[in-house]
């Protein structure tokens, strides 16, 4: 029987890079959009990377995966963003040693302006956009600014890597399989100010479900070592690998988009950085990581009513302040455009 499902167009930027190299297999194999959804991959990178991208295309062809219908390598955003249903914005200007944050933001405004305008002009209006390239939250804000015809709730930034890291760290501490830990929340910015929060997390032990803080009974560890380890995990990977997280970042990008596309499991939530609507007293119009639930083929909803301790509130304030500062810097750059 032939598959009646029409292929969707999916764009990956920075497609010749490390993260994309791990991500593209997941997309082509059907682990993100489902085992019955054929896809056309649009691969965008800068002109000097086109030769490398040719090699990536050869490898994608050599996977011989039936869901992968067309591969379009390009340096032209008009081609890359044409009729896309999902966008993985992986390509960004990385922070170089000695680089000020405002210089990093200025370089990224340029990149995300071009991509935002291309999304606005060429993508489907229901496109789901995931920004992976850092500073991801503020890059998502900039991208949305230049794509006014696409609803703000279609933009998100990735904190799923932080959630996966936090879940793995708690599972190791509790000595359980990682899938026994649920409802870990990442609040705020995908930066060292983020707040990994285990207060609402649950763990299944010997068939019964308990709260993680009760099961661990180590509040001091949860508020210090745990938080700092997750906040600094990216830097620790760079120190060891001499390159930033790629395999784990790609897996997290796939997880994020799969849940957004397919919906979250009943009784579970995931962390996504999305436009703040004022929930939990977070200023509006910054892209802030919240716990969300998602209906299949639906929109995400920010989980409401979680109790926030004084300790947590102080952490949320720090990360929200940083995002407001980043927004101010980004808008300064925008006004010069």
């Amino acid at each position: 029987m032939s598959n009646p499902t029409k292929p969707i167009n999916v764009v990956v930027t920075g497609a010749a890079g490390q993260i994309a190299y791990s991500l593209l297999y997941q997309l082509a194999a059907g682990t993100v959009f489902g085992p019955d959804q054929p896809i056309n991959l649009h691969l965008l990178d800068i002109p000097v990377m086109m030769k490398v991208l040719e090699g990536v295309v050869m490898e994608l062809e050599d996977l011989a995966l039936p869901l992968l219908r067309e591969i379009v390598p390009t340096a032209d955003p008009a081609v890359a963003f044409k009729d896309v249903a999902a966008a993985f914005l992986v390509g960004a200007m990385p922070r170089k040693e000695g680089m000020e944050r405002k210089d990093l933001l200025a370089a990224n405004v340029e990149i995300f302006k071009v991509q935002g305008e291309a999304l606005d002009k060429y993508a489907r209006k229901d496109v789901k956009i995931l920004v992976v390239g850092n500073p991801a939250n503020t890059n998502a804000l900039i991208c949305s600014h230049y794509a006014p015809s696409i609803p703000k709730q279609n933009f998100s930034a990735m904190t799923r890597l932080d959630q996966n890291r936090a879940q793995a760290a708690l599972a190791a501490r509790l000595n359980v399989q990682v899938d026994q830990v649920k409802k870990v929340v990442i609040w705020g910015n995908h930066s060292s100010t983020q707040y990994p929060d285990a207060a609402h997390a649950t763990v299944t032990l010997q068939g019964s479900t308990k709260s993680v803080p009760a099961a661990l009974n180590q509040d001091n560890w949860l508020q210090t070592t745990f938080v700092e380890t997750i906040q600094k995990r990216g830097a620790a990977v760079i120190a060891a690998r001499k390159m930033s997280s790629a395999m784990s970042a790609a897996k997290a990008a796939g997880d994020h988009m799969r849940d957004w596309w397919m919906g979250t499991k009943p009784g579970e939530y995931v962390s996504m950085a999305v436009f703040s609507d004022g929930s939990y007293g977070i200023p509006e119009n910054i892209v802030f990581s919240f716990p969300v639930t998602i209906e299949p083929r639906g929109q995400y909803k920010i989980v409401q009513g979680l109790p926030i301790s004084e300790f947590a509130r102080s952490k949320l304030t720090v990360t929200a302040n940083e995002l407001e500062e980043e927004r101010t810097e980004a808008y300064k750059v925008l006004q010069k455009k």
Side-chain angles (χ1 to χ4, degrees):
M1 268 172 66
S2 67
N3 188 339
T5 313
K6 201 167 165 277
I8 53 168
N9 295 341
V10 178
V11 63
V12 177
T13 73
Q18 285 259 334
I19 292 173
Y21 192 74
S22 279
L23 175 63
L24 292 169
Y25 173 76
Q26 292 179 68
L27 302 180
T31 58
V32 176
F33 298 102
D36 303 318
Q37 178 61 66
I39 71 169
N40 302 322
L41 278 177
H42 292 191
L43 308 179
L44 179 69
D45 216 313
I46 53 179
V48 296
M49 295 305 286
M50 285 301 112
K51 192 75 196 156
V52 175
L53 199 52
E54 263 178 49
V56 174
V57 171
M58 287 182 215
E59 286 210 69
L60 282 166
E61 289 166 350
D62 296 348
L63 292 172
L65 287 165
L67 290 175
L68 182 54
R69 299 296 160 84
E70 278 178 29
I71 309 166
V72 183
T74 182
D76 181 357
V79 174
F81 289 98
K82 183 88 179 105
D83 296 328
V84 293
F88 292 85
L89 306 186
V90 180
M93 167 67 78
R95 190 169 189 159
K96 302 200 172 83
E97 224 172 317
M99 197 184 218
E100 293 274 330
R101 193 168 65 182
K102 60 177 188 290
D103 300 330
L104 182 68
L105 280 164
N108 279 296
V109 166
E110 213 37 70
I111 295 167
F112 286 88
K113 173 178 191 269
V114 169
Q115 295 184 1
E117 288 169 346
L119 280 160
D120 198 54
K121 211 163 166 183
Y122 303 110
R124 284 170 35 169
K125 295 304 168 202
D126 64 350
V127 59
K128 288 177 160 57
I129 299 146
L130 166 59
V131 178
V132 177
N134 286 320
N137 299 53
T138 299
N139 286 343
L141 182 81
I142 293 161
C143 198
S144 166
H145 178 87
Y146 285 107
S149 71
I150 294 171
K152 281 186 167 177
Q153 71 260 28
N154 293 30
F155 288 85
S156 66
M158 187 169 88
T159 50
R160 184 58 171 266
L161 176 53
D162 308 298
Q163 180 194 310
N164 288 349
R165 286 166 169 166
Q167 194 181 340
L170 291 171
R173 189 77 175 181
L174 287 154
N175 200 19
V176 295
Q177 259 179 228
V178 75
D179 59 351
Q180 304 302 297
V181 175
K182 300 195 172 19
K183 296 187 172 176
V184 185
V185 180
I186 304 294
W187 300 94
N189 200 1
H190 174 63
S191 77
S192 60
T193 66
Q194 63 170 272
Y195 175 46
D197 182 6
H200 320 287
T202 62
V203 58
T204 306
L205 290 162
Q206 288 98 39
S208 72
T209 301
K210 302 181 172 169
S211 91
V212 163
L216 259 182
N217 197 21
Q218 297 172 0
D219 286 354
N220 188 44
W221 181 84
L222 278 177
Q223 292 188 356
T224 55
T225 311
F226 168 68
V227 170
E228 286 155 25
T229 302
I230 306 310
Q231 287 176 337
K232 294 174 180 165
R233 182 69 162 185
V237 171
I238 292 172
R241 206 173 93 88
K242 306 292 176 256
M243 284 191 278
S244 58
S245 310
M247 181 172 29
S248 55
K251 157 72 165 52
D255 289 348
H256 175 121
M257 187 64 80
R258 184 192 63 243
D259 287 340
W260 199 4
W261 195 265
M262 305 282 193
T264 45
K265 293 182 183 129
E268 290 186 31
Y269 41 74
V270 294
S271 300
M272 277 171 67
V274 297
F275 272 91
S276 170
D277 60 0
S279 293
Y280 298 99
I282 300 304
E284 291 183 30
N285 205 32
I286 54 176
V287 174
F288 190 95
S289 182
F290 292 98
V292 301
T293 54
I294 307 156
E295 294 289 323
R297 297 283 159 163
Q299 253 317 336
Y300 60 79
K301 288 193 178 72
I302 295 172
V303 174
Q304 297 297 330
L306 294 177
I308 303 295
S309 67
E310 266 180 58
F311 175 79
R313 173 57 61 196
S314 68
K315 296 291 189 190
L316 266 61
T317 302
V318 168
T319 195
N321 288 349
E322 181 182 61
L323 282 164
E324 287 192 294
E325 284 164 25
E326 284 188 17
R327 179 182 62 189
T328 303
E329 289 290 348
Y331 282 166
K332 272 187 206 155
V333 178
L334 294 181
Q335 278 152 14
K336 291 179 191 155
K337 297 269 160 249

